[in-house]
Amino acid sequence: MLSLPPPPHPAGLGATLHQLAVAPSHRLTHSGDVTRVRGDSIMVATRWGIASAGLIANDFVSALKALPAEEHRLVAVAARSLGSAQSFRDKHGLERAYESYAKLAEDPDIDVVYVGVIQVHHLAVASMMLKAGKHVLCEKPLCMDVQETKQLIALAREKKVFLMEAVWSRFFPVYQEMMKRIVAGEIGDVVQVFASFGKAAEHVERLVRKDTGGGATLDMGIYTVQFATLVMGGDKPLKVLAGGHLNQEGVDAVTSATLVYPRGRTASLNTTIRANLPSEAFVVGTKGTVKVNYPMWCPESFESPSGTYTSPLPVTGQTYNFDNSQGLMYEAAEVRRCINEGLLESPGMTHEESITIAEIMEQMRAQVGVI
């Protein structure tokens, strides 16, 4: 297993990731929790359930296995068919496989569930886990619209369990170092954000169909929106101006948006499933510019007036379906940190920001013509 040094967290993005030693007097409800004894301290593994046996779930579990085994334990997977769940279990070495998400929710040996099902089912599956008292890391977009997003967050708060939208970008060392420099004033006052993310991906069926929650904004555009929201300190834009084109299924294939923020700031965001865009991001300030290099949603470097910052992703020995998926380990480590500290949301990806991102995307889609 690969032990990683913790990435730095800038102010406002939470405390540094760390290993948590839990005193023996703390809650230890299952003997299987205890994986290592250090003197008078006991290391407790975070016990994961996986809701989905799809491509992104494969990547998440592969990344999770690269983290210290004493901190993360893969317990069970559930899928729509038992065969898929069993194949996933055997491939990744999980302990159990279930043919229904309900059985995963009922498993008493699971602390937190990674919800990687198709996004039209996020609300239903994540709600099932929250009602069962499980913490939840739910793939982005958290839900299909603002109403659903608020509903899920309200449920998590009611049940007093942790919930985080899996905007994994936030926990990359590149993002965190970038925000450190911006907060420190290296580029002066932020004036403008430019961000693009586009892939020639019309061959991917789920992206072009309405019934699967397809479209450029929800799948790729969310990364540009969250980038702007991060740099703007979580502020809501005063105005969202968007245009674009729908495909024959009625989902957005190309979108361009301008977000108008208080204090003279704007963001220009572009996304498409029809062509490969530069997929870089720029933060322009009164004293200089930060450029986040491709791929802006999971980067290994950025450039700023004080020099280039590079943080190569580790070689994990695992295989992945998507770009730089080993970086999913950073959000998994953040989930463990938050749960062990008793937090119900991550300072690096708050509930309020999930709502703000959903509001922006809903306005963008509506203005492009998505019904």
Side-chain angles (χ1 to χ4, degrees):
M1 295 295 179
L2 179 69
S3 181
L4 296 173
H9 284 241
L13 288 187
T16 302
L17 303 180
H18 62 278
Q19 296 179 345
L20 182 68
V22 180
S25 60
H26 286 203
R27 300 186 303 274
L28 296 177
T29 56
H30 301 277
S31 60
D33 292 344
V34 181
T35 58
R36 178 188 290 184
V37 178
R38 291 179 178 172
D40 59 354
S41 298
I42 298 176
M43 293 295 293
V44 180
T46 300
R47 302 168 302 172
W48 288 88
I50 309 298
S52 173
L55 296 178
I56 188 60
N58 270 272
D59 282 10
F60 180 79
V61 167
S62 294
L64 198 65
K65 287 190 291 185
L67 290 169
E70 67 268 19
E71 294 185 359
H72 298 272
R73 172 181 158 198
L74 288 162
V75 175
V77 59
R80 288 175 293 178
S81 74
L82 182 58
S84 295
Q86 289 173 333
S87 295
F88 190 100
R89 176 200 62 195
D90 296 343
K91 176 181 178 181
H92 291 289
L94 278 73
E95 299 170 23
R96 296 188 281 281
Y98 296 118
E99 75 277 14
S100 75
Y101 302 124
K103 289 189 176 181
L104 186 71
E106 293 167 0
D107 191 324
D109 292 330
I110 291 172
D111 301 313
V112 55
V113 174
Y114 169 77
V115 176
V117 300
I118 195 166
Q119 53 216 41
V120 292
H121 300 307
H122 282 182
L123 177 62
V125 176
S127 294
M128 183 186 301
M129 302 306 162
L130 293 173
K131 289 175 181 177
K134 310 298 186 191
H135 305 297
V136 168
L137 172 65
C138 183
E139 261 308 327
K140 55 80 194 166
L142 188 60
C143 291
M144 290 298 296
D145 56 35
V146 175
Q147 180 180 350
E148 287 188 358
T149 301
K150 290 181 176 179
Q151 180 180 336
L152 189 64
I153 289 171
L155 177 61
R157 289 171 174 169
E158 175 192 337
K159 297 299 180 181
K160 294 181 171 58
V161 289
F162 176 85
L163 170 67
M164 187 176 89
E165 183 175 13
V167 182
W168 60 316
S169 312
R170 293 294 182 90
F171 306 100
F172 271 64
V174 164
Y175 268 60
Q176 303 201 346
E177 178 64 22
M178 175 193 74
M179 288 307 299
K180 268 189 174 180
R181 296 189 186 186
I182 291 173
V183 170
E186 181 175 321
I187 62 170
D189 296 331
V190 172
V191 176
Q192 180 115 26
V193 168
F194 299 92
S196 70
F197 184 2
K199 292 277 190 180
E202 290 181 293
H203 61 284
V204 181
E205 188 175 3
R206 68 173 180 83
L207 294 181
V208 298
R209 290 170 46 190
K210 184 175 289 188
D211 62 346
T212 56
T217 300
L218 290 178
D219 192 82
M220 300 179 195
I222 186 172
Y223 286 111
T224 65
V225 173
Q226 69 80 27
F227 184 86
T229 304
L230 173 66
V231 172
M232 300 302 183
D235 289 351
K236 295 179 184 291
L238 300 172
K239 188 183 300 184
V240 175
L241 305 169
H245 298 281
L246 305 180
N247 68 3
Q248 60 185 8
E249 300 291 329
V251 301
D252 51 310
V254 181
T255 62
S256 294
T258 296
L259 313 184
V260 180
Y261 285 91
R263 302 195 301 279
R265 300 168 297 163
T266 62
S268 300
L269 313 177
N270 296 280
T271 188
T272 182
I273 57 174
R274 298 191 62 200
N276 295 323
L277 296 181
S279 300
E280 300 168 332
F282 297 82
V283 184
V284 181
T286 54
K287 296 180 181 178
T289 298
V290 170
K291 176 190 176 185
V292 179
N293 296 315
Y294 175 94
M296 59 77 61
W297 68 98
C298 51
E300 296 182 84
S301 67
F302 73 85
E303 302 163 26
S304 78
S306 63
T308 298
Y309 175 84
T310 301
S311 179
L313 286 165
V315 177
T316 66
Q318 303 292 325
T319 58
Y320 301 95
N321 298 296
F322 302 106
D323 294 334
N324 289 355
S325 276
Q326 60 265 52
L328 291 165
M329 66 179 67
Y330 297 129
E331 68 175 1
E334 171 69 358
V335 170
R336 170 178 165 79
R337 182 191 74 81
C338 290
I339 291 173
N340 283 341
E341 293 188 4
L343 302 178
L344 300 184
E345 59 185 299
S346 166
M349 189 60 223
T350 66
H351 294 167
E352 191 58 38
E353 274 201 85
S354 287
I355 292 171
T356 297
I357 290 168
E359 289 171 343
I360 294 170
M361 292 195 301
E362 189 166 291
Q363 291 181 64
M364 288 170 57
R365 295 169 76 221
Q367 291 179 38
V368 173
V370 178
I371 300 173

